[in-house]
Amino acid sequence: MAALAASVAGGCASQEAGTGGKSGAGTGGASASGGRSGSGGASASGGASATGGVSGSGGSSASGGASASGGAPATGGASASGGAPASGSAPATGGAAATGGTSASGGASSAVGRSGGGGRSGGDGGSGSGGAAGATVRPDGGTAPDADATGGAAGYQPCPSDGTACRVLPIGDSITFGVGSSDGGSYRTPLFRLIAAANQNTTFTGSLQNGPANVMVSGKTFNSRHEGHSGWGISEVNPNSGGSKGLTTLIPKPAMDAGSGGVPHIVLLHIGTNDQGTYSATQVASDLKDLLDQITAAAPDALVVVAQIIPLGYGTNDVIKSYNQMIPDKVKAETAAGKHVVLVDMFTGFTPSSMLGSDSIHPNDTGYKFMADRWYSVIGRGHRSPPAIATR
């Protein structure tokens, strides 16, 4: 298989089943439901974007759903009520093309392991000064910028080479859970379509299940597992987290338990939206670094893909932009320590007016398709090299 390698008003309240996230008054500006770095993706200094393959086996059924994903509404700002799912939003046929792919200084392409064939390293990965990253052509004919080359390791292949499924752990808040998507599957449904269409072998893992259950997509069975907890942040309690201290409480258990599908080969991390109503961008970025340390310690051989998060449809998105601008340095710190971490820009090119639902917080189907294309540009196609997920 070809390899897959401050201040805003409102919060991420959602309608999800599960441990309910509550909307409350935030003390520091509303939590943004995503955001992108204003600069459109950091330029990489030397590190090639790794593209990892995914395989993996099922995992036991998870209990419960995630609670509402929401940052605390800012004082005086209206709390976003309910994150209504976008009904009937047609999936984007090509995803929005990003403006300005990230340039990789060093031009090292990420390597992808082909499953079944002994794990092949990407053939493009020479280091060159000023090798600019180009656009990746997606299977649907659209284009998206290559994954930001900040971090990662050229030639790294996370997925099995024996033909077994590559395990992918989607982890985050209500955006990962799927609030606003017509089938509840978040970006996971369109991402799986891209994977299946390329005849790549993957399975999603996590302790929760949401979205289409055991349906066939392009002849392959969709696994609805994930680790998206509505209202949750990284490692701090926020007014919508129901007292939870965030994703750090899930690693390694239950997110990587055998019953959740096991230790992943690839981790897709989109988080920070709900922290920003209460905490500064600097604090949230520091918490993200600690979470990355925790994930890479629990799954040292996994490729961890970290997103610069999507914007809100209201407010200035200043906190989100500041947070997103700090993420590349956190990724660089991980890769400098020899860890397999890469960056993907979900902010640049995301158009709130057409890609968010009526709550102006959660993506509609078009927005989730955009996110799927961006994830796939890293784990499916690679950075000017074969994909991380191998084809059968």
Side-chain angles (χ1 to χ4, degrees):
M1 359 169 5
L4 297 177
S7 51
V8 236
C12 292
S14 76
Q15 298 176 335
E16 300 173 21
T19 63
K22 314 180 234 181
S23 163
T27 59
S31 141
S33 142
R36 303 187 167 295
S37 100
S39 61
S43 110
S45 54
S49 147
T51 64
V54 247
S55 66
S57 57
S60 70
S61 150
S63 64
S67 68
S69 147
T75 303
S79 160
S81 62
S87 58
S89 303
T93 57
T99 60
T102 54
S103 74
S105 78
S109 71
S110 50
V112 232
R114 290 182 175 268
S115 102
R120 186 180 93 164
S121 73
D124 232 4
S127 81
S129 60
T136 295
V137 178
R138 299 190 306 263
D140 61 11
T143 59
D146 282 329
D148 190 308
T150 302
Y156 184 62
Q157 305 163 25
C159 291
S161 60
D162 61 2
T164 56
C166 198
R167 297 185 294 273
V168 179
L169 173 64
I171 183 168
D173 52 29
S174 63
I175 293 172
T176 299
F177 185 95
V179 172
S181 57
S182 59
D183 65 359
S186 177
Y187 61 75
R188 295 173 282 116
T189 305
L191 176 58
F192 190 79
R193 288 195 186 102
L194 293 172
I195 293 167
N199 199 33
Q200 294 165 324
N201 188 17
T202 72
T203 189
F204 293 128
T205 65
S207 66
L208 302 179
Q209 293 190 71
N210 188 55
N214 298 320
V215 300
M216 298 298 289
V217 177
S218 298
K220 293 180 172 58
T221 303
F222 176 83
N223 186 331
S224 61
R225 290 189 174 282
H226 64 91
E227 205 64 54
H229 293 257
S230 295
W232 286 28
I234 298 172
S235 59
E236 312 281 356
V237 174
N238 72 69
N240 293 310
S241 67
S244 169
K245 295 194 73 173
L247 300 188
T248 55
T249 64
L250 305 172
I251 308 297
K253 296 177 178 295
M256 298 181 186
D257 278 345
S260 300
V263 177
H265 299 107
I266 294 176
V267 176
L268 306 179
L269 176 63
H270 184 283
I271 192 64
T273 295
N274 297 306
D275 291 308
Q276 294 169 40
T278 307
Y279 305 99
S280 69
T282 299
Q283 180 64 55
V284 179
S286 176
D287 290 344
L288 176 67
K289 175 62 169 62
D290 293 341
L291 176 61
L292 290 174
D293 288 341
Q294 189 174 349
I295 291 172
T296 54
D301 296 326
L303 175 68
V304 182
V305 187
V306 184
Q308 290 171 302
I309 60 179
I310 65 170
L312 291 172
Y314 53 86
T316 63
N317 283 303
D318 284 347
V319 177
I320 292 172
K321 291 174 184 175
S322 295
Y323 168 59
N324 279 342
Q325 288 168 353
M326 296 176 189
I327 295 176
D329 284 342
K330 305 306 177 186
V331 171
K332 287 179 184 177
E334 295 296 309
T335 58
K339 299 173 184 179
H340 311 296
V341 182
V342 293
L343 184 71
V344 64
D345 182 3
M346 293 285 178
F347 186 96
T348 306
F350 190 99
T351 308
S353 61
S354 61
M355 295 182 182
L356 292 178
S358 59
D359 64 1
S360 296
I361 297 171
H362 299 95
N364 55 27
D365 286 351
T366 300
Y368 281 123
K369 178 62 167 59
F370 174 94
M371 295 183 71
D373 289 339
R374 287 296 171 87
W375 290 124
Y376 193 74
S377 74
V378 179
I379 68 172
R381 298 289 301 184
H383 183 73
R384 300 195 303 163
S385 72
I389 303 173
T391 52
R392 293 178 185 269

